[in-house]
Amino acid sequence: MTETLTSPLRIGPLALDFPVVQAALSGYSDWPMRVIARRCGAPYTICEVMLDRFITSLKNREKTRHHLMISAEEHPVGGQLMGAEPEQFGPAAVRLVEAGFDVIDINFGCPVKKVLGRCRGGFHLSQPVTAIEIMQRVRDAVPDAIPVTVKMRRGIDDSAESRDKFYEIFDAAYEIGVAAVTVHGRTVMQRYDGPSRWEFLRELKTHAGARVVLGSGDLFSAAACLEMMQYTGVDGVTVARGAIGNPWVFAQARALFAGRELPPPTLFEQRDVIREHYALAHEIYDPHRACGVMRKFGIKYARLHPQGEQVRNAFAVARSAEQWQDVLKTWYAEDLPGCLPAVDEVG
């Protein structure tokens, strides 16, 4: 398998030592999640998507500092922008660079109905002129040393018109100076239903040639990450929901690339990372907010526990740091083997 894969991954001037990275995850990839992913082997992470207007109006306040929080161990880290009006993107990109983000990523892929209704995210795949203007404005606004990347889906739908618009935007991106494009193998209208079309990614990489393309979709295991690269020829992959509650996927991918196979983390290994994640959340959020934020992660971490349903329920009702610690003391007291998370969803 490793003979057909390439490493490292280049994004403009940045050289990443491994081609499996963490995607932007709305509502999830905040500073604590990104730090945990980096400590577990991710060479690069992207912050959860932020609205251009929100970024330009964001005040430097204690309760909002988590939005632009970056620590030294994170670099390189990307900031992702989403919006409707091209003129808003340039100033927002500058603000992210000033905050310390190393890459600016533009979201043309979000399929959420509310986002599409506000002419954001994946909606831009229906209007190449606007999408191209957005990319140009961002590229012009930030220093040459800052790579600009784009996240897309394979089109609004599977019509010939949608395919033509996709390729118009895709080819224009590189002409403008975009360093890499990440493509999810589903259409916007599919949202997360049905399989991701890896065949499309394979065709796209043949079309792209030496231009850097990353793949996305249905990456819930280390094996899937390497299989996508092997089958499609993409230069790298971005792990999205498959990384929530499973930051070990990055170390497992590195091991598999090297010809080894890492077992699922034991319960003590899980406990230590969950505790570390909670401490990071407590550092940046107030105690009540930290517990609320971590509840959704705990539910995902529970999938690696052999008694996952009971652990999930225990995390779901934890309302304080003390109750959170009680879950760890109760359910992670014995160092049993962990489980691979069941793939019961797609996306």
Side-chain angles (χ1 to χ4, degrees), residues 166-167 170-171 174 179-181 183 200-214 232-235:
F166 171 90
Y167 275 100
F170 181 83
D171 289 335
Y174 298 99
V181 178
V183 180
F200 177 84
L201 299 178
R202 186 175 187 171
E203 296 170 3
L204 181 65
K205 181 55 186 172
T206 299
H207 168 82
R211 295 175 292 182
V212 178
V213 179
L214 287 81
T232 67
V234 293
D235 302 279

Side-chain angles (χ1 to χ4, degrees), residues 20-25 29 33-34 37 42 44-46 237-239 243 250:
V20 179
V21 307
Q22 182 186 284
L25 286 153
S29 57
M33 181 182 182
R34 299 193 313 267
Y44 170 66
T45 63
I46 307 177
V237 297
T238 63
V239 185
F250 300 105

Side-chain angles (χ1 to χ4, degrees), residues 75-264:
H75 295 289
V77 59
Q80 189 180 85
L81 286 175
M82 182 169 67
E85 301 167 357
E87 59 270 21
Q88 298 284 342
F89 277 81
V94 170
R95 182 75 189 276
L96 290 181
V97 172
E98 291 172 347
F101 288 97
D102 304 290
V103 178
I104 304 301
D105 190 56
I106 303 169
N107 185 314
F108 290 160
C110 182
V112 174
K113 187 177 295 186
K114 180 173 66 174
V115 170
L116 301 178
R118 294 173 179 171
C119 303
R120 299 167 177 162
F123 177 83
H124 290 299
L125 296 183
S126 69
Q127 46 177 14
V129 172
T130 302
I132 291 168
E133 181 183 354
I134 289 170
M135 294 187 293
Q136 187 69 67
R137 284 180 178 268
V138 173
R139 183 62 278 174
D140 290 344
V142 301
D144 291 344
I146 299 294
V148 175
T149 59
V150 178
K151 170 66 183 292
M152 303 172 66
R153 284 183 168 234
R154 73 171 196 261
I156 290 290
D157 52 36
D158 278 323
S159 67
E161 180 185 10
S162 178
R163 182 182 178 89
D164 289 345
K165 288 179 177 179
F166 171 90
Y167 275 100
E168 183 179 352
I169 298 168
F170 181 83
D171 289 335
Y174 298 99
E175 293 171 6
I176 288 168
V178 165
V181 178
T182 297
V183 180
H184 191 297
R186 290 186 180 85
T187 66
V188 173
M189 292 298 98
Q190 267 189 279
R191 295 183 171 86
Y192 297 102
D193 296 331
S196 174
R197 274 191 55 195
W198 290 12
E199 182 62 37
F200 177 84
L201 299 178
R202 186 175 187 171
E203 296 170 3
L204 181 65
K205 181 55 186 172
T206 299
H207 168 82
R211 295 175 292 182
V212 178
V213 179
L214 287 81
S216 175
D218 290 350
L219 299 177
F220 289 98
S221 69
C225 293
L226 271 62
E227 286 166 5
M228 175 181 277
M229 287 188 286
Q230 180 186 38
Y231 179 73
T232 67
V234 293
D235 302 279
V237 297
T238 63
V239 185
R241 287 188 290 170
I244 303 173
N246 186 22
W248 298 276
V249 67
F250 300 105
Q252 290 165 350
R254 286 179 182 269
L256 196 57
F257 182 87
R260 298 178 290 108
E261 188 166 344
L262 284 181

